[in-house]
Amino acid sequence: MILMNKMKKVKAWSLAGIAVFALFMIATGSSSCRIYSFRDISIPDSIRTVKVNFIENKAPYVNPQLSPRLTDRLRQKIVSQTKLSQTNNDNADWDIRGHISNYSFSTSGITSNQGGGRDIATNRLTVTVHIVLQDQKANKTQEYDISRNFEFSGNQSIQQAEASLGDEIIRGLTDDIFNRIFSNW
C-alpha cells in the first residue's frame, strides 16, 4: 500500500513536470521540432540583394556542363527560397563567387565474385567547390569548401557516370552550398 502511494506521487510529479515543461515551451514560442530543422535560413534584415557570379571550373578535369548548370541552379534556389533579389550589379549586398577546384575519379571499392567471375569495382567521383561570400554591408568575407562524393558502378565509363549522375551532382552541390551559406551547416 505504501509503495502504491509512492508510485502515484511519482507519477503525479512526472505528469506535472511534463505539463510545466510543455507550458514553458508554448509560452516562449519554442518547439523541439525547430532544433532539427534544416530549413532555417539566417539572413540579416539589412541584406536585400545578392549577386551570384559564374562558378568557374578550375579543376584539372573539366566537365563543361557543370559550371553553367551549378551557377544557374544556385541562382534559382536563392531566389525561390529566400527573400533576396538577384542582381548583376556590383553593389549587391552579398556577392557570391566561387570555382570548382576538384573533379576527380577514384576506385572506392572492389567486390570479389566468389563464383569465379569478374571482380566488381565501385568508383567514386569527388567534386569540390570553393565558395566566397562577400558581405558588402558588413565588409566581411567568408570562404567555404564544399565537397561531395558520388558513387557509381565500375562497369560505367566516365561519360556514362557523368550522364547518369548529372542531376544528382547539381542538386547535391547546390543544396550543400545553399545550406552552408544560409543555414551555416
Side-chain angles (χ1 to χ4, degrees), residues 103-142:
Y103 190 90
S104 60
F105 297 91
S106 62
T107 301
S108 62
I110 298 176
T111 304
S112 178
N113 187 337
Q114 300 296 329
R118 292 185 2 192
D119 291 342
I120 301 170
T122 304
N123 292 328
R124 175 178 294 146
L125 167 60
T126 302
V127 184
T128 305
V129 182
H130 183 76
I131 296 293
V132 179
L133 170 63
Q134 175 69 41
D135 184 337
Q136 307 283 18
K137 293 207 174 203
N139 198 22
K140 183 171 128 183
T141 301
Q142 297 176 359

Side-chain angles (χ1 to χ4, degrees), residues 14-184:
S14 297
L15 289 174
I18 291 170
V20 168
F21 180 73
L23 288 172
F24 173 77
M25 296 300 281
I26 291 169
T28 60
S30 297
S31 165
S32 63
C33 294
R34 294 187 70 178
I35 293 171
Y36 300 105
S37 173
F38 292 101
R39 293 206 165 270
D40 290 340
I41 296 174
S42 177
I43 303 171
D45 291 335
S46 62
I47 305 300
R48 300 196 191 299
T49 59
V50 63
K51 178 180 181 182
V52 179
N53 295 284
F54 184 74
I55 298 171
E56 297 181 56
N57 197 334
K58 295 182 178 181
Y61 179 90
V62 175
N63 176 335
Q65 297 175 359
L66 185 58
S67 287
R69 289 184 64 199
L70 182 60
T71 303
D72 186 51
R73 182 76 178 255
L74 183 59
R75 286 175 179 157
Q76 289 174 11
K77 187 169 183 83
I78 290 171
V79 169
S80 69
Q81 295 189 12
T82 70
K83 64 178 181 162
L84 300 177
S85 298
Q86 169 71 33
T87 183
N88 289 324
N89 296 333
D90 289 335
N91 62 348
D93 297 333
W94 278 2
D95 184 80
I96 299 172
R97 62 186 182 279
H99 65 272
I100 299 162
S101 58
N102 181 36
Y103 190 90
S104 60
F105 297 91
S106 62
T107 301
S108 62
I110 298 176
T111 304
S112 178
N113 187 337
Q114 300 296 329
R118 292 185 2 192
D119 291 342
I120 301 170
T122 304
N123 292 328
R124 175 178 294 146
L125 167 60
T126 302
V127 184
T128 305
V129 182
H130 183 76
I131 296 293
V132 179
L133 170 63
Q134 175 69 41
D135 184 337
Q136 307 283 18
K137 293 207 174 203
N139 198 22
K140 183 171 128 183
T141 301
Q142 297 176 359
E143 297 190 34
Y144 311 104
D145 283 314
I146 309 298
S147 188
R148 194 168 253 232
N149 295 318
F150 304 92
E151 306 289 329
F152 63 97
S153 170
N155 295 333
Q156 291 182 311
S157 69
I158 291 173
Q159 292 77 17
Q160 289 171 327
E162 288 175 321
S164 67
L165 292 171
D167 291 338
E168 182 183 347
I169 292 168
I170 298 301
R171 184 178 47 256
L173 288 171
T174 302
D175 289 348
D176 288 353
I177 293 167
F178 183 89
N179 289 336
R180 183 70 176 151
I181 292 172
F182 295 101
S183 300
N184 202 20

